[in-house]
Amino acid sequence: MLPREEELRALICEVGRRVYARGYVASNDGNISVRLDDHHLLATPKSVSKGFMTPDMMVVTDMQGRKVSGHRDASTELKMHLAVYEMRPDVRAVVHAHPPLSTGFAVAGVPLNKSSLAEIIFSLGSVPIAEYATPSTQELPDAVKKYITAHDGLLLANHGALTAGQDLMNAYYKMETMEHFAQITLVARQLGGENLISRQEVDRLQGLRDFYGIKSPAPICTNPALAGSDGATCQFVDAPSSDGPRIVPPAGPGPGPAPGAGPGGGDGGEIRLTYRELAALIADAVRQVTRDV
């Protein structure tokens, strides 16, 4: 075994421990792979917890997924990894996991594509949702192929998430970034919605991305028609147009009641009640009904 292969086997185990420790996988979920050379991959085995792998468990396959060496069989979802390597010669490693918040967005059918964080625009650009496909079938790599040409991170509808990178740690860190983005997005929406970076500022950030040589498979675009699902050519970021301000507040009612409003707030718009307010209204209605009987 060459020293580089030994190092990669150990590094896959380290990435596996990290995704398991962070709760990005449960039980035997998830899979990881890395290019050994132009003709071979090193991949995690099936039916093993990613938090408890040892280097000898890894499987070497060719670029068609046929096992070359190893005491175990490779993950049944290796086809998805092979699709990434086929479409992206620059990719050296792939991580697939089920991080809870990102997967929650995938299950809800909500892509992570709002222009809320400059750091995300610099790095991932956006995270689209690949259409649902039965795991371990050819449907899944076919769904991934539609988006992976332009994105380093994908949500997999009702399944999980996938990231691709220049090396194992780069692919893993993108999974961390995606889950962090999902967490911030969820909190912002619970607080009333994101303040979004304007379309004009997104264009400026794209210019800085180019200036600093930040690697990305495709440029950012703010027109969804340019990021069609039949082979995306840009990373669609949903950003509002603005006549001046670079930060645009969310449309619609905020998280709290309007000044002078009763419980729930607002006049003719959305009504929001706390559990205590709702219980008080129900109790009052019951008293009214009892009094009238």
Side-chain angles (χ1 to χ4, degrees):
M1 188 186 304
L2 296 175
R4 181 173 179 274
E5 182 177 335
E6 289 185 4
E7 179 183 343
L8 291 175
R9 285 172 178 265
L11 196 53
I12 286 181
C13 292
E14 175 61 23
V15 171
R17 282 191 288 271
R18 293 190 185 206
V19 295
Y20 183 80
R22 282 185 168 270
Y24 295 175
V25 292
S27 184
N28 299 333
D29 294 347
N31 29 82
I32 305 161
S33 70
V34 62
R35 289 186 195 260
L36 277 177
D37 53 45
D38 291 339
H39 306 289
H40 298 92
L41 297 178
L42 191 62
T44 50
K46 67 180 181 181
S47 303
V48 173
S49 170
K50 302 305 157 303
F52 298 92
M53 296 185 298
T54 55
D56 60 290
M57 293 180 179
M58 303 307 142
V59 184
V60 177
T61 76
D62 63 18
M63 298 307 291
Q64 287 71 49
R66 295 183 291 252
K67 184 166 76 170
V68 173
S69 65
H71 301 296
R72 298 170 179 265
D73 292 328
S75 167
T76 56
E77 293 187 329
L78 185 63
K79 293 176 183 177
M80 177 172 59
H81 296 240
L82 293 169
V84 177
Y85 294 123
E86 176 189 344
M87 304 299 291
R88 295 279 303 279
D90 61 305
V91 166
R92 308 299 299 179
V94 175
V95 174
H96 165 53
H98 305 160
L101 296 176
S102 297
T103 303
F105 277 84
V107 170
V110 180
L112 292 166
N113 63 3
K114 298 288 187 181
S115 60
S116 53
L117 291 168
E119 292 82 358
I120 298 299
I121 293 171
F122 274 135
S123 56
L124 289 177
S126 65
V127 184
I129 301 179
E131 292 84 354
Y132 177 75
T134 305
S136 304
T137 69
Q138 186 57 41
E139 291 179 353
L140 189 53
D142 288 345
V144 166
K145 283 182 179 181
K146 294 180 180 179
Y147 296 92
I148 198 62
T149 53
H151 298 86
D152 286 336
L154 303 178
L155 298 177
L156 308 174
N158 296 76
H159 184 166
L162 177 144
T163 52
Q166 284 73 48
D167 55 52
L168 277 165
M169 293 309 298
N170 182 258
Y172 165 71
Y173 286 141
K174 285 172 182 171
M175 186 68 69
E176 272 194 352
T177 298
M178 183 192 302
E179 183 70 351
H180 194 55
F181 184 26
Q183 183 175 19
I184 291 170
T185 298
L186 180 62
V187 170
R189 292 181 187 181
Q190 289 174 328
L191 294 173
E194 306 101 308
N195 291 316
L196 296 182
I197 297 170
S198 72
R199 188 171 302 174
Q200 293 80 354
E201 181 65 9
V202 168
D203 290 339
R204 294 189 189 98
L205 291 173
Q206 172 66 73
L208 290 175
R209 198 190 209 191
D210 296 337
F211 178 79
Y212 287 111
I214 297 174
K215 291 184 177 180
S216 177
I220 296 166
C221 61
T222 53
N223 182 351
L226 299 176
S229 62
D230 291 329
T233 58
C234 65
Q235 299 172 344
F236 170 65
V237 173
D238 188 359
S241 185
S242 172
D243 293 332
R246 289 184 286 176
I247 299 296
V248 181
D267 292 321
E270 179 182 1
I271 297 175
R272 301 190 180 197
L273 298 174
T274 65
Y275 179 80
R276 182 175 295 177
E277 290 168 343
L278 178 60
L281 288 174
I282 293 173
D284 184 61
V286 170
R287 284 195 296 271
Q288 292 289 343
V289 171
T290 303
R291 188 182 304 121
D292 293 340
V293 171

